[in-house]
Structure formats: structure tokens, C-alpha cells
């Protein structure tokens, strides 16, 4: 069996890849597993050897292939993939930031299971932000979601990085007193909080959320101290 994940949204593609691998490991228990970067020299011979080795102790094989379109001589790879289209004991998962070129168009057809991960449009990005925020126990205001959508349009890695920063703070992030506070409230929290996480988030909100001039922030800190 072959699973083909492709598209420029590497965060969602990687997350889906990890879900597939975790599910496969849980379902099959003992298995032989390896990962091959086909942009590296010797990857094809190593892949062939791994597929050829049989063991009664590892009846199932799980293989992850990366950078398959960076390979100069593609005929060998194409033959390997064709031979494993209907394999019951080998699962090949391909992760690529590109859609397949002409000679690999078969990766978009049955029996290959393909899934695209293109950059999300704005309406789908809102749903993505809500889902990722929920996974981090964050309760975001609509204006916070709008800010993230505008500021990181199509950049899922940028969004989850911001959400991870927000998750450092305790309680419900996104409540009015936590996001969108005025300059002096955030400055006081940055200056006086005993919790490092809260000071980091306050600084992040001043710089990214409120778009404050860094000189104003640090000059005000010096004045207060």
C-alpha cells in the first residue's frame, strides 16, 4: 500500500503523517520501520535492501519516503512504487511539498491513497485556528482569531508558534484582560509578574498583538524601574 501526502502546508502534512504512523504502529504491533531521504546518495539501494529483507519476527514493513522528486534517476523508484501498489505487508508513506510530476501522476490515482495539503484559504484557516487553540486549551476571542488569520495568512507554522506562546500563560487566553489589554496593563504585567510565562506573553502581546514600538516599551520599563 502507498499513501501520498503532498502540498506546501508542511505543518498539517507532518501532523497527518505522524497520525498515520502512530495508528499503524498501534494496529500492527511488531513491525520493521525506516525512513529514506531520496535526496541523499545511496537511498535507493538502501530502500531496495530494506524491502527485500524478510523476517518472521517483523511481518509488516512501514516506510517513509521524503524528497522523492529530488532524485535524479527516477526509473528505479517508479518501478519500486509500482511493485508495491497492492502490497499487503509493506506500507509506503510519501511526504512531499510538491504535487507529482507527469511520470508520477499514478500517485494521485487508486489504489494509492493521496491527500493534498495546500495553504488554507481564510475561512478554513479560522477553523484551523479554533481546532489548534482547542488542542491547547485556549479560548480565543473572535478578534484574536482575526488577528492571527490576517497576520499569518497561509502560514500554519507561524500560527501554531503563536498559539504555543499563548499557551504558556495560565487560565483562558483570549479573554479581554489577557489579549488586547492596553499598553500600561501589559507593561505592568511585563514588569511586575512573578511568572516568567506571563511576562513572555505580555511582551509578545505588546510587540505582536498591539504593534507597539519596541523603543517605547523599553524606555517605559527603564522609567518604571
Amino acid at each position: 500500500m502507498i499513501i501520498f501526502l503532498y502540498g506546501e502546508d508542511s505543518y498539517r502534512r507532518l501532523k497527518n503523517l505522524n497520525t498515520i504512523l502512530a495508528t499503524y504502529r498501534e494496529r500492527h504491533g511488531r513491525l520493521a520501520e525506516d525512513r529514506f531521504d531520496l535526496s541523499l546518495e545511496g537511498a535507493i539501494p538502501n530502500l531496495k535492501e530494506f524491502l527485500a529483507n524478510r523476517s518472521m519476527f517483523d511481518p509488516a514493513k512501514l516506510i517513509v519516503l521524503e524528497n522523492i522528486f529530488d532524485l535524479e534517476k527516477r526509473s528505479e523508484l517508479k518501478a519500486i512504487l509500482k511493485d508495491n501498489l497492492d502490497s499487503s505487508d509493506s506500507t509506503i508513506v510519501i511526504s512531499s511539498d510538491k504535487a507529482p510530476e507527469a511520470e508520477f501522476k499514478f500517485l494521485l490515482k487508486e489504489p494509492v491513497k493521496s491527500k493534498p495539503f495546500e495553504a488554507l484559504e481564510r475561512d478554513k484557516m479560522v477553523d484551523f485556528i479554533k481546532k489548534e487553540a482547542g488542542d491547547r486549551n485556549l479560548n480565543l476571542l473572535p478578534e484574536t482569531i482575526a488577528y492571527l488569520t490576517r497576520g499569518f495568512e497561509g502560514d500554519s507554522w507561524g500560527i501554531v508558534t503563536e498559539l504555543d506562546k499563548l499557551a504558556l500563560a495560565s487560565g483562558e487566553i483570549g479573554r479581554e484582560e489577557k489579549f488586547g489589554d492596553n499598553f500600561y496593563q501589559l507593561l505592568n504585567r511585563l514588569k511586575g509578574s512573578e511568572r516568567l510565562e506571563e511576562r513572555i506573553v505580555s511582551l509578545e502581546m505588546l510587540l505582536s498583538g498591539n504593534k507597539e514600538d519596541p523603543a517605547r516599551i523599553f524606555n517605559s520599563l527603564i522609567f518604571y524601574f
Side-chain angles (χ1 to χ4, degrees):
M1 179 173 69
I2 296 178
I3 301 172
F4 180 52
L5 312 176
Y6 67 99
E8 59 185 291
D9 192 334
S10 58
Y11 173 79
R12 289 168 48 242
R13 177 161 44 85
L14 177 60
K15 188 173 183 179
N16 191 254
L17 170 63
N18 289 336
T19 299
I20 291 171
L21 298 182
T23 301
Y24 195 93
R25 292 163 186 152
E26 182 178 356
R27 181 182 302 163
H28 291 272
R30 296 183 63 87
L31 76 162
E33 180 179 347
D34 210 340
R35 185 182 296 252
F36 299 90
D37 182 343
L38 298 188
S39 66
L40 302 178
E41 186 176 352
I44 288 294
N46 292 337
L47 173 60
K48 283 183 173 181
E49 181 180 358
F50 183 77
L51 285 167
N53 288 336
R54 303 290 177 183
S55 171
M56 61 180 294
F57 301 107
D58 299 312
K61 292 182 183 294
L62 178 60
I63 301 162
V64 177
L65 299 183
E66 298 173 323
N67 298 315
I68 67 169
F69 302 128
D70 292 342
L71 189 66
E72 291 186 4
K73 297 180 180 180
R74 302 181 181 182
S75 57
E76 285 185 284
L77 174 61
K78 186 176 179 180
I80 292 171
L81 296 178
K82 289 277 191 179
D83 288 343
N84 285 274
L85 284 175
D86 297 309
S87 174
S88 59
D89 59 355
S90 295
T91 297
I92 298 176
V93 187
I94 302 170
S95 180
S96 171
D97 60 353
K98 305 172 186 175
E101 300 171 6
E103 60 189 313
F104 287 98
K105 286 293 185 184
F106 67 90
L107 292 174
L108 299 178
K109 302 175 182 178
E110 293 290 343
V112 176
K113 301 181 185 301
S114 62
K115 187 172 183 179
F117 292 91
E118 303 302 333
L120 292 174
E121 298 178 358
R122 180 160 295 190
D123 56 340
K124 293 183 178 179
M125 183 63 79
V126 170
D127 292 336
F128 169 77
I129 292 171
K130 290 179 179 178
K131 172 64 169 57
E132 292 294 321
D135 291 345
R136 292 161 175 77
N137 296 317
L138 301 177
N139 183 21
L140 302 180
L141 284 172
E143 51 264 38
T144 306
I145 296 174
Y147 156 72
L148 291 172
T149 304
R150 289 193 307 270
F152 298 92
E153 187 170 356
D155 181 7
S156 57
W157 276 111
I159 286 173
V160 298
T161 299
E162 290 300 303
L163 292 176
D164 286 339
K165 292 176 184 176
L166 292 173
L168 288 172
S170 60
E172 287 189 337
I173 306 303
R175 290 168 56 182
E176 191 168 350
E177 68 270 23
K178 289 288 188 181
F179 193 100
D181 285 344
N182 68 44
F183 176 81
Y184 293 104
Q185 287 175 310
L186 289 169
L187 189 71
N188 284 333
R189 190 149 53 236
L190 172 62
K191 173 177 67 74
S193 175
E194 295 181 356
R195 299 182 64 249
L196 175 61
E197 294 89 344
E198 192 165 344
R199 296 203 302 274
I200 292 173
V201 171
S202 298
L203 179 59
E204 173 69 18
M205 292 302 96
L206 284 165
L207 292 171
S208 298
N210 291 15
K211 305 294 185 184
E212 296 288 353
D213 181 357
R216 183 190 181 200
I217 296 171
F218 293 109
N219 286 337
S220 298
L221 285 175
I222 291 171
F223 172 78
Y224 274 114
F225 282 118

